Amino acid sequence: MLDFEFQNSTKIKFGKNSLNNLSDEILKYGNKVLLTTGSSSVKKIGLYDKVKNELKNSPIEIYELNGIEPNPKLTSVNQGIEICKQHNIDFILAVGGGSVIDAAKSIATGAVTDKNIWDFYLQKYSVEKALPLGAILTLAATGTEMNGNSVVTNWKTKEKLHIGSPLLRPKFSILNPENTFSVPINHTIYGCIDIMAHVFEQYFSSTKETPLQDKICESVLKTTIENTYRVIKKPRDYDARANIMWCGTMALNGIIALGKASDWASHEIEHQISAIYDISHGAGLAIVFPNWMEYVLDSNIDIFKQYAVNVWNIDDSNLSDRETALKGIYKTKEFFKEIGAPTTLDDVDIDDENLEVMAKNAARFGDIGGLKKLNENDILKILKKSL
Amino acid sequence: MLDFEFQNSTKIKFGKNSLNNLSDEILKYGNKVLLTTGSSSVKKIGLYDKVKNELKNSPIEIYELNGIEPNPKLTSVNQGIEICKQHNIDFILAVGGGSVIDAAKSIATGAVTDKNIWDFYLQKYSVEKALPLGAILTLAATGTEMNGNSVVTNWKTKEKLHIGSPLLRPKFSILNPENTFSVPINHTIYGCIDIMAHVFEQYFSSTKETPLQDKICESVLKTTIENTYRVIKKPRDYDARANIMWCGTMALNGIIALGKASDWASHEIEHQISAIYDISHGAGLAIVFPNWMEYVLDSNIDIFKQYAVNVWNIDDSNLSDRETALKGIYKTKEFFKEIGAPTTLDDVDIDDENLEVMAKNAARFGDIGGLKKLNENDILKILKKSL
């Protein structure tokens, strides 16, 4: 196990009654609130009205930014920043999925600086100050509800980049599984794949002697797999939605990989795909991950074998370690297919036209990955395997 | 899954270099520090000198309270409170095991009130204010390093009671597995049993549909069991000590049982034993727990069967659910014996003289337990089974 530091002070309010006392939670930080939402679905499911209703008998003044898009755009972020500056906003309340919350974190950063927000994503500056924010989650996927990460896309330059700071952790996040009941099945599935992908990035490591962390990773993976099947059959299954929602948070709140080196190459590669083609992040991960696994397998066959046996119950009695590991990777791909996700770039109508550009962009800040360092050429090979 | 709220802002600094920057961590809260320690072992292992050394070139003024005993005594707590009041202490730094840290939490509460500290344990008052505190842990066991609980013994009245508040969570806890290398083997074992017992209290529940929480509980149990064997063989095995230490924290930082009803009857019963007889808490738990398990088994055979299969790998193919469950309980007891723990009251020279008093005290605030509500008579039966 490696040395580590851990602190995560986000308050999680989970369950059917988690919206209660919303105004009290907000008023700890001020009363001028920017409410941000994405598509019209928060209105359709009645959540928008419930939130407004919760706040109406309080001294809270609400300003709004609606229509933040999936793979949130820099332009929306800049709009939000302007509202904050113009009205001296105290607190941002993001109601939506990962994109809406990530955009809110970006707005929170930009609202208290005169610097160009995109320069933070270009790593010219680090986050030293931010408005406080809270989240009401409507999609189990990114884990942004309990971490300090934000991913934003600049559609002008076709770049999808991230920033991270403890200052960007939501002060509170409200997780009501009922708010995910009407998420369309494809987005539900992509969310589940995103959750699994976050675990993969932290599980497949070269760090030895992290048995508790590994077992917790396997717990999140198995619970996500079991409950993905359930939710496909019955989208309004409260417990299945609750289990997936909690897996999503646990997958990226820092706990599962303490004392381990993480990887994150596959996310970096996928970001290049969805920066150019507007595909769902989860779909991109389903395409990239099995190919990444095969490409890096020989860097640590043990961990891939452990994955095959503990997550997919592969019987390894007559197999070499490598054969067992390969079976686990194969099962992963089969699972993605079975639940209806794409597993090749061709499945989402992407050809080889931009692979070189993607590889180059993925390595723009240097080699990527932890288990195996990947240069531009390695990344290109993985992308070609994914065609 | 039940609705839940979760927030835990303790900063964990884990590993070989975790003592670095100690003074910076403390100076966020003030410069007049009460340093509390237990037995002379922190001096023997050189930790006391290292701590003093880390602080010596800082503006920190140190006051000291040494010699806090296992099952910490109210008298020590009152001494600490007096020092805090006399010298306007800003921060308490507890260096030791669970007892030293629990006593520090008690001092932190008493230092900012004119009320009698014992009245908080008698539930006359709740904690509304406390001095900030930090911990440097030297024994993996109680999990107090990342929660707001404190257990203290009043040797005059033979009562062992607890208080709990988020205000009592350490601001930071420093966990260096090397600081546990020289813990005697019996205390190491009792610590491991304490860790397992904390998981038991949260795992054996009647709440359904908590697969992730259950799997994480099983992960902590299996990791603790595997590493207990290792550390008995090789007490200075860094990774085994690290794994146990991290299990100890995870077992009681709130994560493993979110959305579940907990039990805590066995702890309540054990506290009555170690309030009268000065035995180690872990030893008492090894005696009580298998008997409690048998006594409450029929309230939820499923969870005991799941425990037998997932933690102890019991082959259930030719067994009834109840037989499988019983095998798991049997294996638990066998494990405790195998690692050298007592499993009967007789093993620690306790006879039936005080069983009625213990049963009465355990139920003093009402029936106890979550999985099955236990009254005084139930508790007495469990104590008699434990003879």
Side-chain angles (χ1 to χ4, degrees):
Chain A
M1 203 187 305
L2 307 176
D3 283 17
F4 67 82
E5 276 196 24
F6 175 73
Q7 185 175 35
N8 189 331
S9 53
T10 296
K11 182 197 269 195
I12 296 293
K13 301 178 73 161
F14 193 102
K16 292 178 183 174
N17 300 304
S18 49
L19 202 63
N20 293 352
N21 309 316
L22 175 62
S23 52
D24 295 344
E25 295 292 350
I26 293 173
L27 286 167
K28 292 175 192 166
Y29 307 97
N31 74 324
K32 295 183 99 173
V33 172
L34 173 64
L35 173 69
T36 65
T37 64
S39 66
S40 56
S41 67
V42 293
K43 289 191 180 162
K44 265 187 231 151
I45 65 172
L47 179 59
Y48 178 85
D49 287 338
K50 276 188 205 158
V51 170
K52 290 277 230 154
N53 206 39
E54 271 294 316
L55 303 180
K56 81 173 172 206
N57 292 321
S58 78
I60 289 172
E61 271 178 59
I62 302 177
Y63 298 82
E64 297 196 31
L65 175 66
N66 303 307
I68 293 170
E69 47 290 295
N71 290 328
K73 296 181 185 171
L74 188 56
T75 44
S76 303
V77 167
N78 279 319
Q79 266 179 283
I81 292 171
E82 211 178 299
I83 301 174
C84 289
K85 287 184 174 172
Q86 199 181 336
H87 299 287
N88 285 314
I89 295 292
D90 299 314
F91 188 85
I92 303 175
L93 179 65
V95 184
S99 299
V100 175
I101 301 168
D102 279 14
K105 291 177 179 179
S106 192
I107 296 167
T109 306
V112 292
T113 179
D114 289 329
K115 291 169 184 144
N116 183 337
I117 183 64
W118 191 243
D119 284 341
F120 288 83
Y121 290 82
L122 290 171
Q123 306 191 5
K124 288 191 196 162
Y125 310 115
S126 56
V127 181
E128 271 159 25
K129 222 177 131 189
L131 282 185
L133 68 126
I136 301 177
L137 188 67
T138 60
L139 177 71
T142 73
T144 189
E145 63 274 13
M146 201 177 177
N147 66 46
N149 304 330
S150 163
V151 176
V152 164
T153 302
N154 183 337
W155 284 100
K156 246 196 236 163
T157 61
K158 302 262 187 219
E159 290 169 305
K160 186 170 182 176
L161 297 174
H162 83 278
I163 53 173
S165 162
L167 294 168
L168 298 181
R169 271 191 221 116
K171 297 298 177 192
F172 62 82
S173 282
I174 291 173
L175 279 60
N176 181 348
E178 293 173 333
N179 290 333
T180 66
F181 277 178
S182 62
V183 174
I185 209 68
N186 62 336
H187 284 291
T188 301
I189 287 162
Y190 296 151
C192 293
I193 293 168
D194 197 19
I195 294 167
M196 292 176 69
H198 293 153
V199 181
F200 292 156
E201 299 285 17
Q202 302 168 85
Y203 180 76
F204 295 113
S205 164
S206 53
T207 312
K208 306 277 184 205
E209 281 288 359
T210 52
L212 179 57
Q213 293 88 327
D214 289 2
K215 286 184 178 77
I216 297 177
C217 285
E218 291 158 6
S219 300
V220 177
L221 289 171
K222 284 190 285 189
T223 307
T224 305
I225 293 164
E226 287 159 15
N227 287 279
T228 302
Y229 285 122
R230 286 175 63 181
V231 91
I232 289 172
K233 270 196 202 141
K234 193 180 164 198
R236 300 176 77 85
D237 180 334
Y238 180 86
D239 285 309
R241 290 283 187 186
N243 292 330
I244 291 171
M245 200 167 214
W246 189 231
C247 279
T249 306
M250 283 296 290
L252 205 49
N253 64 6
I255 289 274
I256 67 168
L258 292 168
K260 293 184 75 170
S262 291
D263 195 89
W264 297 103
S266 302
H267 265 72
E268 193 59 55
I269 297 171
E270 193 292 317
H271 283 177
Q272 307 319 316
I273 303 174
S274 57
I276 297 184
Y277 304 95
D278 197 6
I279 65 165
S280 161
H281 178 51
L285 290 166
I287 295 165
V288 172
F289 243 114
N291 293 297
W292 171 84
M293 289 178 181
E294 275 183 28
Y295 194 80
V296 306
L297 166 61
D298 291 304
S299 299
N300 186 356
I301 289 178
D302 288 352
I303 189 75
F304 283 98
K305 183 195 167 186
Q306 179 182 305
Y307 167 71
V309 172
N310 291 353
V311 175
W312 295 107
N313 303 313
I314 304 290
D315 177 3
D316 63 339
S317 40
N318 293 311
L319 300 174
S320 71
D321 290 352
R322 198 170 194 281
E323 285 165 341
T324 307
L326 276 169
K327 275 213 168 187
I329 298 172
Y330 176 77
K331 281 286 266 179
T332 311
K333 202 167 185 167
E334 284 304 296
F335 173 71
F336 290 161
K337 275 189 201 163
E338 189 187 348
I339 61 175
T343 54
T344 64
L345 288 170
D346 188 53
D347 286 345
V348 288
D349 298 323
I350 296 176
D351 60 19
D352 61 359
E353 190 189 338
N354 288 303
L355 301 193
E356 279 80 7
V357 180
M358 293 178 199
K360 198 177 168 195
N361 283 346
R364 64 181 293 170
F365 297 119
D367 290 355
I368 59 172
L371 181 54
K372 181 180 165 75
K373 284 271 164 222
L374 304 176
N375 61 29
E376 201 179 314
N377 190 36
D378 294 314
I379 298 164
L380 186 59
K381 282 183 189 163
I382 291 169
L383 284 166
K384 284 185 174 166
K385 273 169 74 68
S386 308
L387 277 167
Chain B
M1 200 187 306
L2 307 177
D3 283 16
F4 67 82
E5 277 197 23
F6 175 72
Q7 185 174 36
N8 189 331
S9 52
T10 296
K11 182 197 269 194
I12 297 293
K13 302 178 72 161
F14 193 103
K16 292 179 181 169
N17 300 306
S18 49
L19 201 63
N20 294 352
N21 309 317
L22 175 62
S23 52
D24 295 342
E25 295 291 350
I26 294 173
L27 286 167
K28 293 175 191 167
Y29 307 97
N31 75 325
K32 293 182 100 172
V33 172
L34 174 63
L35 173 68
T36 64
T37 65
S39 67
S40 56
S41 67
V42 293
K43 290 191 178 162
K44 265 188 229 148
I45 64 171
L47 179 59
Y48 178 86
D49 288 338
K50 275 187 206 159
V51 169
K52 292 276 234 159
N53 206 40
E54 271 293 318
L55 304 180
K56 81 173 171 207
N57 293 321
S58 77
I60 290 171
E61 272 177 57
I62 302 176
Y63 298 82
E64 296 195 33
L65 175 67
N66 303 307
I68 294 171
E69 45 292 294
N71 290 328
K73 295 180 185 171
L74 189 55
T75 45
S76 302
V77 166
N78 279 318
Q79 266 180 284
I81 292 171
E82 211 179 299
I83 300 174
C84 288
K85 287 183 173 173
Q86 199 181 337
H87 299 286
N88 287 312
I89 294 293
D90 300 311
F91 188 87
I92 304 176
L93 179 65
V95 185
S99 299
V100 175
I101 300 169
D102 279 12
K105 292 177 179 180
S106 193
I107 295 167
T109 306
V112 291
T113 178
D114 289 329
K115 291 168 185 145
N116 183 336
I117 182 65
W118 192 242
D119 284 342
F120 289 83
Y121 290 83
L122 290 172
Q123 306 192 2
K124 288 190 198 165
Y125 310 114
S126 56
V127 181
E128 271 158 26
K129 220 177 130 187
L131 283 184
L133 68 125
I136 301 176
L137 188 68
T138 60
L139 177 71
T142 74
T144 190
E145 64 274 13
M146 200 177 177
N147 66 45
N149 304 329
S150 161
V151 177
V152 163
T153 303
N154 183 338
W155 284 99
K156 246 196 234 160
T157 62
K158 302 261 186 218
E159 289 169 305
K160 185 171 182 175
L161 297 174
H162 83 277
I163 53 173
S165 163
L167 295 167
L168 298 180
R169 272 190 221 116
K171 298 297 178 191
F172 62 82
S173 283
I174 291 172
L175 278 61
N176 182 347
E178 293 174 332
N179 290 334
T180 66
F181 277 177
S182 62
V183 174
I185 208 67
N186 61 336
H187 284 291
T188 300
I189 288 162
Y190 296 151
C192 293
I193 292 168
D194 197 19
I195 294 167
M196 292 177 68
H198 292 154
V199 181
F200 292 156
E201 300 285 18
Q202 301 168 87
Y203 180 76
F204 294 113
S205 165
S206 54
T207 312
K208 306 276 182 204
E209 281 288 359
T210 52
L212 178 57
Q213 294 87 329
D214 289 3
K215 286 184 177 77
I216 297 177
C217 285
E218 292 158 4
S219 300
V220 177
L221 289 170
K222 285 190 283 189
T223 307
T224 305
I225 294 163
E226 287 160 15
N227 287 279
T228 303
Y229 286 123
R230 286 175 63 181
V231 89
I232 290 171
K233 270 197 201 139
K234 193 180 163 197
R236 301 176 76 85
D237 180 333
Y238 180 86
D239 286 307
R241 290 283 188 186
N243 291 329
I244 291 170
M245 199 166 216
W246 189 230
C247 280
T249 305
M250 283 296 290
L252 205 49
N253 64 5
I255 288 275
I256 67 169
L258 292 169
K260 295 184 75 169
S262 291
D263 197 274
W264 296 103
S266 301
H267 265 72
E268 192 58 55
I269 298 171
E270 193 294 317
H271 284 177
Q272 307 317 318
I273 304 173
S274 56
I276 297 183
Y277 303 95
D278 198 5
I279 65 165
S280 161
H281 178 51
L285 290 166
I287 295 164
V288 171
F289 243 112
N291 293 296
W292 171 85
M293 288 178 181
E294 276 183 28
Y295 192 80
V296 306
L297 165 62
D298 291 303
S299 299
N300 186 356
I301 289 179
D302 288 351
I303 188 76
F304 284 98
K305 183 196 166 183
Q306 178 183 305
Y307 167 70
V309 172
N310 291 352
V311 176
W312 295 107
N313 304 313
I314 304 290
D315 176 3
D316 61 342
S317 40
N318 294 310
L319 299 174
S320 71
D321 289 354
R322 198 170 194 283
E323 284 165 342
T324 307
L326 277 169
K327 275 213 167 184
I329 299 173
Y330 176 77
K331 281 286 265 180
T332 311
K333 201 167 186 166
E334 285 304 295
F335 172 72
F336 291 161
K337 274 189 200 162
E338 188 186 350
I339 61 174
T343 53
T344 65
L345 288 169
D346 188 55
D347 286 345
V348 288
D349 298 323
I350 296 176
D351 61 19
D352 61 359
E353 190 189 338
N354 289 304
L355 301 193
E356 279 80 8
V357 181
M358 292 178 199
K360 198 177 167 195
N361 283 345
R364 65 180 293 170
F365 297 119
D367 290 354
I368 59 172
L371 180 54
K372 183 180 163 73
K373 283 271 163 220
L374 304 176
N375 62 28
E376 201 178 315
N377 190 39
D378 294 315
I379 298 164
L380 186 60
K381 282 183 188 163
I382 291 169
L383 284 166
K384 283 185 175 166
K385 274 170 71 71
S386 309
L387 277 168

